[in-house]
Amino acid sequence: MGRLKLQNGIKAIDEEPGNCDATYSKKDTLACIINSEIGAVLAVMRRNVRWGGHYISGDDQLEHPLIQSLKVLRKQIFSWQHQLHTINPAAYLQPFLDVIRSDETGAPITGVALSSVYNILTLDVIDQNSVNVEDSMHLLVDAITGCRFEVTDPASEEVVLMKILQVLLACMKSKASVILSNQHVCTIVNTCFRIVHQAGTKGELLQRIARHTMHELVRCIFSHLPDVQNTERALSNGNNTISREIAGINNEYPSGSRQLENGNMSSEFDSQLLSTNPALNASSGLVESGMDEKTTGASSGKEAVQYESRLMAEPFGVPCMVEIFNFLCSLLNVVEHIGMGPRSNTISFDEDVPLFALGLVNSAIELGGSSIQNHPKLLSLVQDELFQNLMQFGLSTSPLILSMVCSIVLNLYHHLRTELKLQLEAFFSCVILRLAQSRYGASYQQQEVAMEAVVDFCRQKTFMVEMYANLDCDITCSNAFEDLANLLSKSAFPVNFPLSSIHILALDGLIAIIQGMAERSGNGSVSSAETLTNLEEYTPFWLMKCDDYSDPAHWVPFVRRRKYIKRRLMIGADHFNHDPKKGLDSCKELISCLTNLILKAWPVLHEFAGTFDFQDMNLDTALRLFLETFRLPGESQKIQRVLEAFSERYYEQSPQILANKDAALLLSYSIIMLNTDRHNVQVKKKMTEEDFIRNNRHINGGDDLPREFLSELYHSICKNEIRTTPEQGASFPEMTPSRWIDLIHKSKKNAPFIVSNFRPHLDQDMFAIMSGPTIAAISVVFDHAEHEEIYQTCIDGFLSVAKIAACYHLEDVLDDLVVSLCKFTTLLNPSVDEPVLAFGDDPKARMSTVTVFRIANTYGDYIRTGWRNVLDCILRLHKLGLLSARVASEAAGDSEVSLTQVMATP
């Protein structure tokens, strides 16, 4: 059922059955504490005239029931004869809870009663072994979340609200929290968020405490996720009542400045956040109210509501976590629309509210971790709602928000990357790469944060390998590794200005990648990077499959073959864009099975349309996705053919409403006309909804389409224009809603994510791509740097490059590296005045010289033409008298022979 496992043997107080004195002593201690709390509450109550006198009821003069119940408890506590866990917690909690729920008590009295409950809870005398603990904990939560009190002054009101937060958090942290129902856990979170919202009109201290409590609650709840049994029975509906209720705050109370009328915790937000349905114990109604419209009057709907109600009444586990996480995701949807009103604190709303919501999400992911993938509903929320919101907030102008988004994505990569292949690709393509380059309008702060994020990912040892294997070697995906490596190498170049923080960050990213490869080069045998591709037995790339994605013996040659085909197709596509005939010739061997189709444009269009998956898509969404992949021609005849191919494919996969493909064609053409009419500034008289519906009468096999269906299409087009893809190279792709829907569709059918170990399976392939730009970038930074710390970073990079080049016998790379380093020694520059002093005063020259000799000594067997430069440095040092006599004589005697041997080596 997806609930928490009760841990047997955990007791609130470790009693000693054999020692009666010890047992009674602990009971006496509890009795003394409760007695003290009773005295504190009664003392505060007696300060008020209302409670200081007698309570008049009819002809009798009696004490008020609240005072009477406290006094009765005081008489009973010292007469308990049973062990602690056999005492019903409700017996000593009820009098305090009655005070808390009473609307006759003022804030000071309610505050003391809350403190008493908190003190009792923190004694850890209540655990899952206590008698009647479930009813007691539910009674406790209902009382605290239904707290009522009279407001005497703003300060005392804030104190009570802070104590409510304190008690609710203590409830979740107590050993008996596993007994709480899913519904009550949701109610606790709901109440805490209401106080967070109210705190916006009060003091900053209350606001910060409320938000801190919210974070702690989320961490406490999701820390249990690894202990929850795997289940498929999370909430069956994906909706979230809390999110809609919070959206209602904006409609009902746009300023958020209304004060509590009588201190009732439930009074202001009952209609928005809490349900008063007694069947749900006055809880938040997370399930029932959210399903009313869909289930009323239908027997199956009633059964669904009953099932959800039963599920929420069970001990807390996955169902409440799904609801809470869905709520957290919804905060990112409505956060821009919640009006917080005038506030006295100095927190910036534009950044603060999104940061708060993102922080809650991050806490849930940190604590839930990889266990999220064991629960389909939670995983689905991460893959769709959460990641889509992260994509939107990632493009925020706030560097703080971008930084938090990047931290969340890094956590998601660490815990759930096997389930987020396409989402990660989209994030890097549409957010990070878009912001990290100044020519796309990002501020310097955004560029810096984006570059920091790239470096953080590069420091994950297997990140680049997995990006290369899963994306660069997938024909349907972008070249994420190549794009990121190019970004780093280009960003490290200081062109016409001194080194900045971005240059240093880019250098750190490159060094992290190279050092990771260098470390892996010693982990086992290195496989050859030669691609064995038998084109005579060519299999269409869309049909290629790997026998075992977990075995490197299978997936390594598989991804190399796909990378080879992808590279050839990209070259062919580039040629085709310039000359179609040359493009086809360059790819003929790869697409020989389609040669006959390519000779005719029309069959190719249908084959192209057949590559789309429109299943379960709305017509306008499918049409957007289709038209975003190419530029629609202007001629009506060509538009007709394009729409015919689309309509045939759409009807083939989604025939539910449309009678035939002709209906799909006519409606698609009508949508194109509507799009032009509504979004073309030259059209003065716009088409109305009635015009659109009238234009589409009798197109569905002679019948009319449902009015609601056409109305939804009309408003969708009016609100969101259909845009075709921009000119190539204009900008990085934008993640439109239709593209996101397509991404989610593809992710469900995607090949398994390849998880790399710490073996150098693809390092040679990757190093061949980035070695040249990397050496150049490190060299330029080394040349422009002025601090020895940066010198050492560059030297570490040079040594890592040398190790990798030697490991893969890349003599050309090693020669280029040696030549580059020798230039920095200043020994080969004859124009230097007083060369001995210059060499001695230049730490860069000395470090370069030492590095050259270290590489020559360690990897000399793989150096070819670079030996000339090494020997020239040695001879120069000898000429300057900087070598010892023995080294100088050996170098002078062997230099001519050694040089001749090196030059004779093929």
Side-chain angles (χ1 to χ4, degrees):
M1 292 300 296
R3 66 187 69 172
L4 290 175
K5 298 178 181 177
L6 300 184
Q7 298 178 355
N8 296 329
I10 298 179
K11 294 186 178 180
I13 294 180
D14 294 331
E15 298 185 5
E16 301 175 15
N19 190 336
C20 295
D21 292 337
T23 302
Y24 283 120
S25 176
K26 292 173 182 176
K27 284 191 297 185
D28 291 342
T29 300
L30 175 62
C32 289
I33 292 173
I34 295 176
N35 183 67
S36 176
E37 299 299 336
I38 293 172
V41 175
L42 290 176
V44 177
M45 295 180 75
R46 290 189 179 109
R47 290 180 180 177
N48 193 300
V49 177
R50 177 191 300 176
W51 308 98
H54 289 89
Y55 174 74
I56 301 177
S57 177
D59 296 331
D60 299 327
Q61 291 186 346
L62 303 171
E63 288 183 312
H64 193 282
L66 295 179
I67 294 180
Q68 188 176 17
S69 63
L70 288 168
K71 289 185 176 180
V72 171
L73 176 61
R74 173 174 270 177
K75 293 179 182 179
Q76 296 174 344
I77 53 178
F78 291 105
S79 62
W80 288 333
Q81 300 296 324
H82 303 288
Q83 294 183 348
L84 281 178
H85 72 274
T86 63
I87 300 174
N88 186 350
Y92 50 83
L93 288 175
Q94 186 70 61
F96 298 101
L97 300 180
D98 290 341
V99 173
I100 293 171
R101 300 200 70 158
S102 173
D103 55 5
E104 299 180 63
T105 55
I109 298 174
T110 304
V112 174
L114 286 166
S115 295
S116 299
V117 173
Y118 173 78
N119 292 335
I120 295 173
L121 275 176
T122 54
L123 292 176
D124 279 344
V125 296
I126 305 174
D127 61 18
Q128 64 266 31
N129 297 317
S130 300
V131 64
N132 202 33
V133 64
E134 183 175 355
D135 291 340
S136 299
M137 290 299 293
H138 291 172
L139 179 69
L140 174 60
V141 172
D142 290 339
I144 302 303
T145 56
C147 174
R148 304 172 67 88
F149 59 94
E150 290 183 347
V151 176
T152 55
D153 61 276
S156 61
E157 178 190 1
E158 291 187 18
V159 170
V160 172
L161 294 177
M162 285 189 282
K163 290 185 177 181
I164 289 173
L165 294 170
Q166 189 181 42
V167 176
L168 291 178
L169 183 58
C171 285
M172 286 307 307
K173 288 187 173 182
S174 72
K175 295 177 181 177
S177 64
V178 295
I179 302 299
L180 290 172
S181 69
N182 289 300
Q183 190 67 67
H184 280 86
V185 173
C186 290
T187 302
I188 290 174
V189 174
N190 198 354
T191 302
C192 182
F193 184 79
R194 291 204 331 272
I195 297 178
V196 171
H197 181 76
Q198 290 175 256
T201 62
K202 304 183 188 302
E204 184 174 339
L205 178 60
L206 174 62
Q207 183 181 20
R208 294 190 180 276
I209 291 177
R211 295 189 173 197
H212 172 74
T213 304
M214 191 78 174
H215 277 281
E216 289 298 304
L217 281 175
V218 170
R219 292 179 63 85
C220 181
I221 292 168
F222 282 87
S223 65
H224 291 294
L225 187 60
D227 300 325
V228 175
Q229 299 173 357
N230 294 349
T231 179
E232 295 289 334
R233 297 183 63 188
L235 289 181
S236 60
N237 61 323
N239 68 62
N240 187 312
T241 306
I242 294 184
S243 60
R244 294 197 306 278
E245 291 163 344
I246 291 172
I249 294 177
N250 185 45
N251 299 328
E252 188 74 15
Y253 306 104
S255 66
S257 60
R258 176 183 174 188
Q259 297 292 327
L260 291 176
E261 295 177 357
N262 63 349
N264 177 6
M265 274 297 299
S266 303
S267 64
E268 183 175 7
F269 297 104
D270 267 347
S271 60
Q272 282 73 35
L273 293 175
L274 295 183
S275 168
T276 56
N277 186 338
L280 295 178
N281 298 319
S283 282
S284 55
L286 299 182
V287 177
E288 184 170 34
S289 60
M291 298 182 63
D292 282 346
E293 295 180 0
K294 298 180 181 179
T295 61
T296 301
S299 59
S300 60
K302 293 180 180 179
E303 292 175 359
V305 171
Q306 293 174 356
Y307 168 73
E308 301 296 353
S309 298
R310 290 196 305 270
L311 201 59
M312 296 301 285
E314 293 179 352
F316 96 86
V318 172
C320 73
M321 296 183 194
V322 170
E323 281 290 340
I324 293 169
F325 196 81
N326 201 352
F327 164 56
L328 299 182
C329 293
S330 72
L331 285 179
L332 299 176
N333 287 328
V334 302
V335 77
E336 298 178 355
H337 308 293
I338 297 180
M340 298 299 283
R343 297 182 299 174
S344 58
N345 60 60
T346 59
I347 298 177
S348 172
F349 170 75
D350 290 340
E351 290 182 340
D352 181 59
V353 179
L355 285 174
F356 171 63
L358 291 168
L360 294 176
V361 169
N362 197 38
S363 295
I365 294 170
E366 287 176 342
L367 275 298
S370 57
S371 299
I372 293 175
Q373 65 187 334
N374 298 329
H375 307 286
K377 283 295 179 183
L378 281 175
L379 180 60
S380 178
L381 287 171
V382 172
Q383 291 172 324
D384 195 349
E385 285 86 350
L386 174 59
F387 231 106
Q388 187 177 20
N389 290 328
L390 292 178
M391 296 280 292
Q392 295 173 352
F393 275 98
L395 296 175
S396 168
T397 57
S398 167
L400 288 176
I401 292 177
L402 174 60
S403 179
M404 177 58 77
V405 168
C406 292
S407 297
I408 293 175
V409 175
L410 182 60
N411 276 329
L412 290 172
Y413 167 79
H414 179 68
H415 294 297
L416 301 170
R417 62 184 181 274
T418 59
E419 309 294 336
L420 298 172
K421 172 181 172 179
L422 298 184
Q423 287 85 347
L424 289 170
E425 178 200 13
F427 180 74
F428 283 104
S429 298
C430 302
V431 178
I432 294 299
L433 290 170
R434 185 176 182 178
L435 296 179
Q437 304 189 45
S438 59
R439 63 177 181 271
Y440 293 104
S443 66
Y444 183 84
Q445 290 77 15
Q446 285 178 293
Q447 297 175 53
E448 191 172 16
V449 173
M451 191 62 68
E452 287 173 350
V454 173
V455 175
D456 286 339
F457 276 96
C458 290
R459 287 173 178 154
Q460 312 304 309
K461 297 300 183 181
T462 62
F463 169 73
M464 281 298 194
V465 182
E466 291 175 347
M467 291 299 100
Y468 182 78
N470 289 283
L471 300 179
D472 290 58
C473 296
D474 189 332
I475 298 168
T476 63
C477 296
S478 62
N479 291 330
F481 164 75
E482 289 190 35
D483 291 340
L484 291 173
N486 289 335
L487 169 68
L488 292 172
S489 60
K490 291 179 181 178
S491 300
F493 271 83
V495 182
N496 299 326
F497 48 87
L499 290 176
S500 67
S501 59
I502 290 182
H503 295 131
I504 304 305
L505 281 170
L507 175 68
D508 289 341
L510 285 175
I511 301 299
I513 299 172
I514 293 298
Q515 287 182 336
M517 293 183 183
E519 292 174 9
R520 289 192 295 270
S521 64
N523 295 341
S525 60
V526 178
S527 58
S528 173
E530 296 180 2
T531 304
L532 301 177
T533 306
N534 186 352
L535 295 176
E536 294 180 358
E537 299 178 359
Y538 172 70
T539 301
F541 59 83
W542 56 90
L543 298 178
M544 292 176 58
K545 293 183 180 180
C546 180
D547 294 333
D548 188 350
Y549 285 91
S550 63
D551 185 358
H554 289 88
W555 67 256
V556 170
F558 171 73
V559 298
R560 280 178 172 160
R561 179 184 176 89
R562 285 202 308 182
K563 181 61 177 176
Y564 171 79
I565 296 173
K566 183 178 183 179
R567 187 179 293 112
R568 294 291 301 272
L569 286 173
M570 292 179 67
I571 294 173
D574 186 61
H575 286 315
F576 185 86
N577 289 334
H578 294 87
D579 187 331
K581 186 176 184 304
K582 292 182 179 179
L584 295 179
D585 290 340
S586 65
C587 290
K588 185 178 297 183
E589 58 183 355
L590 289 178
I591 51 178
S592 58
C593 60
L594 293 178
T595 301
N596 293 330
L597 289 176
I598 292 174
L599 296 177
K600 298 179 180 179
W602 183 235
V604 171
L605 181 58
H606 281 270
E607 291 294 329
F608 173 71
T611 63
F612 287 85
D613 182 7
F614 297 138
Q615 193 167 2
D616 300 325
M617 280 192 189
N618 293 334
L619 179 63
D620 65 310
T621 301
L623 188 58
R624 292 177 194 276
L625 177 64
F626 186 71
L627 296 179
E628 284 173 353
T629 56
F630 59 92
R631 184 164 295 282
L632 191 66
E635 299 86 346
S636 58
Q637 186 178 9
K638 293 182 179 179
I639 295 176
Q640 177 81 9
R641 290 183 176 180
V642 169
L643 293 182
E644 283 179 3
F646 164 78
S647 302
E648 183 176 341
R649 178 61 174 173
Y650 182 80
Y651 177 73
E652 177 185 331
Q653 294 187 303
S654 302
Q656 291 81 5
I657 296 180
L658 301 174
N660 48 50
K661 64 180 181 180
D662 291 334
L665 173 61
L666 292 173
L667 187 56
S668 299
Y669 206 95
S670 181
I671 289 175
I672 295 294
M673 299 301 294
L674 172 64
N675 188 71
T676 303
D677 179 273
R678 295 295 305 187
H679 300 285
N680 190 328
V681 294
Q682 297 179 354
V683 178
K684 302 303 180 183
K685 186 179 180 180
K686 302 296 184 182
M687 187 185 303
T688 65
E689 180 179 346
E690 289 300 326
D691 293 335
F692 180 71
I693 294 175
R694 184 169 55 253
N695 293 342
N696 290 285
R697 286 178 177 172
H698 311 306
I699 67 170
N700 196 31
D703 296 329
D704 288 341
L705 287 162
R707 183 181 180 87
E708 296 77 11
F709 175 72
L710 293 174
S711 178
E712 184 179 352
L713 288 176
Y714 175 83
H715 290 290
S716 175
I717 299 301
C718 291
K719 182 179 179 181
N720 186 12
E721 179 184 2
I722 296 178
R723 298 177 181 271
T724 57
T725 184
E727 292 292 343
Q728 187 175 5
S731 65
F732 282 106
E734 180 182 356
M735 182 52 67
T736 61
S738 55
R739 286 183 178 175
W740 183 260
I741 293 173
D742 182 54
L743 183 149
I744 297 301
H745 274 257
K746 290 180 179 178
S747 65
K748 296 176 181 178
K749 302 178 181 180
N750 207 39
F753 188 93
I754 296 174
V755 178
S756 176
N757 52 24
F758 292 94
R759 303 282 182 175
H761 300 302
L762 298 173
D763 285 353
Q764 183 174 353
D765 309 67
M766 298 164 60
F767 186 71
I769 294 173
M770 65 177 298
S771 59
T774 297
I775 294 175
I778 298 176
S779 299
V780 171
V781 174
F782 189 62
D783 187 27
H784 286 74
E786 298 178 354
H787 299 90
E788 291 196 22
E789 181 181 356
I790 300 178
Y791 295 163
Q792 188 58 53
T793 301
C794 294
I795 292 298
D796 293 340
F798 287 136
L799 291 174
S800 295
V801 170
K803 181 179 180 181
I804 300 168
C807 178
Y808 298 117
H809 298 189
L810 302 175
E811 291 85 357
D812 291 343
V813 174
L814 205 53
D815 287 337
D816 291 342
L817 177 60
V818 170
V819 171
S820 180
L821 275 171
C822 287
K823 293 178 180 178
F824 295 118
T825 64
T826 70
L827 296 174
L828 305 182
N829 188 356
S831 63
V832 175
D833 297 333
E834 298 184 352
V836 175
L837 293 178
F839 183 79
D841 291 339
D842 190 349
K844 186 187 301 183
R846 297 195 305 273
M847 294 175 72
S848 300
T849 304
V850 172
T851 304
V852 167
F853 294 152
R854 182 176 176 182
I855 292 174
N857 284 326
T858 308
Y859 310 113
D861 292 343
Y862 306 101
I863 299 176
R864 295 294 181 260
T865 59
W867 272 116
R868 178 190 292 275
N869 300 76
V870 175
L871 293 176
D872 285 345
C873 289
I874 295 174
L875 292 174
R876 182 63 174 167
L877 288 171
H878 170 61
K879 184 176 181 179
L880 296 175
L882 297 178
L883 291 181
S884 65
R886 182 176 63 82
V887 174
S889 62
E890 291 178 355
D894 298 341
S895 60
E896 184 176 352
V897 176
S898 300
L899 182 58
T900 303
Q901 292 175 343
V902 169
M903 296 303 296
T905 302

